[in-house]
């Protein structure tokens, strides 16, 4: 399962710097058949310390992490929804992504020009928000008028037309599609088919000053813990793209040394990747044996057969049952045999809802 996160923002806010740092964490392409070769798309490994521990107890050298896809979408400028800059082209790239990560500039550097003269993270956010909402208004205008025609020919389309009008009037008031009240499966399907940008999960990445970040992380011991602005219900991750770019070039030992020096526990990118994974409603389960220790991506709430289907569709069709153990129990007991003896391995059937950190052996019919 490959889910993608589009990196957006005004020009010169650090999007490319961040994207390049992210793709240094590039996942081994051969493990992921869906890997694209588009230079603007980076397949990024989801950092997960548990995999290393699992690999150790099952005595394998090979570790295959879960991945998310980041897409570098070039800068949006005021007027993009009316075709300014590369306008509509960018907006169509954003529509194809599953979630949006918006980079907001919070660093001062007189050598780096800001499109609006001076940077102000709050008004920059407003500029982007306005463009995205304007694009959605235009989309809904077209949708409402085509549904009006269709429902005249086929009355079965009327409920969708009424719903589209409701969504349109909310969006016109500046309310995002993610806040639209959904009380039926049909509405869920229709809203998805409208492909609205404001329906997508959204996070802010505050790209902050090297000095401010270093000072702050020394005080708090965490690169990510700067207080986010009040009244802001969108998740914010604070990073310094320049530091992340430097970290990405370093060997692991140098990295640890540098992080210690700036007083941080882990690179800001790790926090960002984990948060993005969570934002998409995803979780990992593991398989661990002699061949490899591997994390697989599923949606929260997926059943055991759905989880098996991520490995191979035949596994889902022929699913019989699954041996399931929490990763920690497997590590603490010292292996599958020991975990079974200790009574930690459960036998689960078709209705089992997968839990974060489950480690599984599937039994299936060929
Ligand atoms: P984009 O247009 O949003 O992709 O921005 P870039 O990543 O190309 O960055 C624009 C300029 O800002 C480049 O010269 C970067 O080196 C610089 N830059 C990016 N992030 C930071 C940062 O955290 N601090 C400082 N001082 N400069 C940065």
């Amino acid at each position: 399962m490959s889910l993608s996160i589009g990196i957006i923002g005004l020009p010169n806010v650090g999007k490319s710097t961040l994207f390049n740092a992210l793709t240094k964490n590039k996942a081994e392409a051969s493990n992921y058949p869906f890997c694209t070769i588009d230079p603007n798309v980076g397949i990024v490994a989801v950092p997960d310390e548990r995999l290393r521990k699992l690999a150790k107890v099952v005595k394998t050298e090979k570790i295959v992490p879960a991945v998310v896809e980041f897409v570098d979408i070039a800068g949006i400028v005021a007027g993009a929804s009316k075709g300014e800059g590369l306008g509509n082209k960018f907006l169509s790239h954003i529509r194809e992504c599953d979630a949006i990560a918006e980079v907001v500039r919070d660093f001062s550097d007189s050598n780096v020009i800001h499109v609006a003269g001076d940077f102000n993270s709050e008004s920059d956010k407003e500029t982007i928000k306005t463009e995205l909402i304007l694009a959605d208004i235009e989309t809904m205008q077209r949708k409402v008028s085509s549904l009006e025609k269709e429902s005249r020919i086929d009355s079965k389309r009327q409920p969708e037309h009424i719903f589209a009008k409701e969504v349109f009037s909310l969006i016109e008031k500046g309310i995002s599609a993610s806040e639209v009240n959904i009380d039926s499966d049909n509405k869920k399907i229709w809203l998805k088919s409208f492909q609205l940008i404001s329906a997508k999960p959204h996070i802010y990445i505050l790209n902050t000053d090297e000095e401010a970040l270093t000072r702050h992380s020394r005080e708090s011991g965490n690169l990510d813990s700067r207080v986010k602005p009040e009244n802001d219900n969108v998740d914010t991750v604070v990073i310094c793209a320049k530091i992340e770019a430097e970290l990405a070039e370093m060997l692991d030992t140098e990295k640890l040394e540098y992080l210690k020096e700036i007083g941080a526990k882990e690179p800001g990118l790790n926090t960002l990747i984990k948060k993005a994974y969570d934002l998409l409603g995803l979780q990992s389960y593991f398989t661990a044996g002699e061949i490899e220790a591997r994390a697989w991506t599923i949606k929260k709430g997926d059943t055991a057969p759905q989880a098996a289907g991520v490995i191979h569709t035949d596994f889902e069709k022929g699913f019989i049952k699954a041996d399931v153990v929490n990763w920690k129990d497997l590590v603490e007991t010292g292996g599958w045999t020991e975990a079974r003896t200790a009574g930690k391995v459960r036998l689960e059937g078709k209705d089992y809802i997968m839990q974060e950190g489950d480690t599984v052996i599937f039994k299936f019919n060929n």
Side-chain angles (χ1 to χ4, degrees), residues 9-18 72 75 103 105 107-109 111-112 207-210 239-243:
L10 293 172
N12 272 351
V13 294
K15 297 182 299 300
S16 301
T17 309
L18 177 74
D72 187 14
V103 182
R105 177 165 168 179
F107 65 88
S108 53
D109 186 335
N111 295 318
V112 182
N207 185 13
T208 201
D209 274 341
E210 295 85 317
I239 58 147
C240 171
K242 217 167 174 180
I243 291 183

Side-chain angles (χ1 to χ4, degrees), residues 137-287:
I137 289 175
E138 212 169 281
T139 305
M140 283 317 295
Q141 235 160 3
R142 268 184 276 127
K143 197 74 213 172
V144 167
S145 97
S146 72
L147 277 168
E148 190 178 344
K149 282 185 207 124
E150 285 169 37
S151 61
R152 255 188 261 136
I153 302 164
D154 178 2
S155 62
K156 283 206 243 33
R157 304 299 297 270
Q158 262 169 13
E160 188 180 351
H161 179 220
I162 293 166
F163 178 65
K165 281 199 288 190
E166 264 170 44
V167 175
F168 181 43
S169 76
L170 288 173
I171 289 180
E172 261 193 326
K173 288 186 199 126
I175 296 170
S176 79
S178 56
E179 288 167 63
V180 171
N181 186 15
I182 304 277
D183 55 13
S184 73
D185 280 351
N186 273 347
K187 286 190 183 177
K188 205 170 169 181
I189 295 164
W190 293 331
L191 191 63
K192 200 163 177 220
S193 77
F194 299 160
Q195 285 198 303
L196 296 172
I197 298 170
S198 62
K200 295 182 194 293
H202 196 126
I203 44 176
Y204 290 125
I205 303 171
L206 204 61
N207 185 13
T208 201
D209 274 341
E210 295 85 317
E211 293 77 23
L213 191 73
T214 314
R215 190 172 357 98
H216 177 75
S217 63
R218 278 226 180 86
E219 285 159 12
S220 70
N222 190 345
L223 270 182
D224 173 45
S225 65
R226 218 173 76 158
V227 187
K228 66 176 186 179
E230 254 180 75
N231 303 326
D232 203 341
N233 54 12
V234 180
D235 262 337
T236 303
V237 181
V238 183
I239 58 147
C240 171
K242 217 167 174 180
I243 291 183
E244 296 304 326
E246 284 168 28
L247 278 168
E249 297 288 346
M250 293 180 192
L251 297 171
D252 281 352
T253 46
E254 289 174 320
K255 222 184 249 185
L256 286 175
E257 191 90 345
Y258 187 84
L259 285 171
K260 209 166 141 196
E261 208 174 290
I262 61 169
K265 286 195 204 94
E266 62 172 2
L269 287 188
N270 288 17
T271 317
L272 169 64
I273 298 166
K274 287 187 214 162
K275 211 163 213 168
Y277 194 66
D278 199 47
L279 175 79
L280 286 165
L282 305 177
Q283 68 182 30
S284 292
Y285 78 88
F286 304 111
T287 51

Side-chain angles (χ1 to χ4, degrees), residues 57 70 195 237 348:
V57 293
F70 280 90
Q195 285 198 303
V237 181
E348 300 286 1

